[in-house]
């Protein structure tokens, strides 16, 4: 019984000092991160889904969240994002995006249906009647 009590005491003390780690990336206002060449990105060959979370500390229009060659997702004017593949673009405006606000984006591109759907915070969907294509060959991926 004494050994069980000591084991429980050690377990509780370990849990009480546990540290929660935050593995998100946080950049300085001028920060850019080059993830290098990503060979496994889907290309213009077919459908893909891209998801990301973001929480800007400062809303700077034209700042890229993600960029590879001509494909980009950038901050637009207040509360808007601009998704662009060099030919087609989709602008999303929503007050749930802003400084200090976490936002989840899911982008689904349907090659056969020739459309791209973007869901914001798993609730509101925006549709572009064009397929936003990723770069046809491997390029550096920038955050």
């Amino acid at each position: 019984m004494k050994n069980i009590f000591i084991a429980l005491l050690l377990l509780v003390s370990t849990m009480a000092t546990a540290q929660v780690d935050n593995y998100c990336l946080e950049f300085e206002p001028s920060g850019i991160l080059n993830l290098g060449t990503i060979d496994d990105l889907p290309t213009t060959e077919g459908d893909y889904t891209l998801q990301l979370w973001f929480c800007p500390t400062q809303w700077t229009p034209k700042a890229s969240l993600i960029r590879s060659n001509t494909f980009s997702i950038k901050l637009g004017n207040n509360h808007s994002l601009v998704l662009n593949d060099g030919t087609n673009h989709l602008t999303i405006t929503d007050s749930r995006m802003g400084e200090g606000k976490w936002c989840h984006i899911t982008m689904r591109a349907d090659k056969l249906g020739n459309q791209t759907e973007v869901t914001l915070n798993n609730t509101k969907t925006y549709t572009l009647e064009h397929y936003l294509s990723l770069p046809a060959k491997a390029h550096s991926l920038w955050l």
Side-chain angles (χ1 to χ4, degrees), residues 119-130:
T119 305
L120 185 64
N121 290 333
N122 206 31
T123 57
K124 189 164 185 179
T125 302
Y126 303 83
T127 303
L128 174 66
E129 297 301 327
H130 295 284

Side-chain angles (χ1 to χ4, degrees), residues 6-84:
I6 292 172
L8 287 173
L9 184 61
L10 288 173
L11 179 65
V12 169
S13 67
T14 303
M15 290 173 29
T17 61
Q19 173 65 38
V20 176
D21 292 322
N22 181 354
Y23 292 108
C24 72
L25 297 172
E26 184 175 347
F27 299 95
E28 296 296 322
S30 62
I32 296 173
L33 179 63
N34 182 351
L35 298 176
T37 301
I38 310 293
D39 295 322
D40 294 334
L41 278 178
T43 63
T44 56
E45 300 299 320
D47 302 346
Y48 66 89
T49 300
L50 176 68
Q51 293 187 354
L52 61 100
W53 283 94
F54 73 100
C55 179
T57 55
Q58 179 179 350
W59 198 274
T60 306
K62 297 185 181 179
S64 295
L65 297 177
I66 188 169
R67 177 174 47 94
S68 182
N69 196 23
T70 57
F71 178 85
S72 66
I73 299 176
K74 295 182 179 184
L75 299 179
N77 294 328
N78 292 331
H79 309 289
S80 69
L81 286 179
V82 179
L83 293 81
N84 191 337

Side-chain angles (χ1 to χ4, degrees), residues 48 83-85 88-89 107 109 116 128 130-134:
Y48 66 89
L83 293 81
N84 191 337
D85 69 356
N88 302 297
H89 74 279
M107 179 178 155
T116 304
L128 174 66
H130 295 284
Y131 175 83
L132 286 179
S133 60
L134 294 173

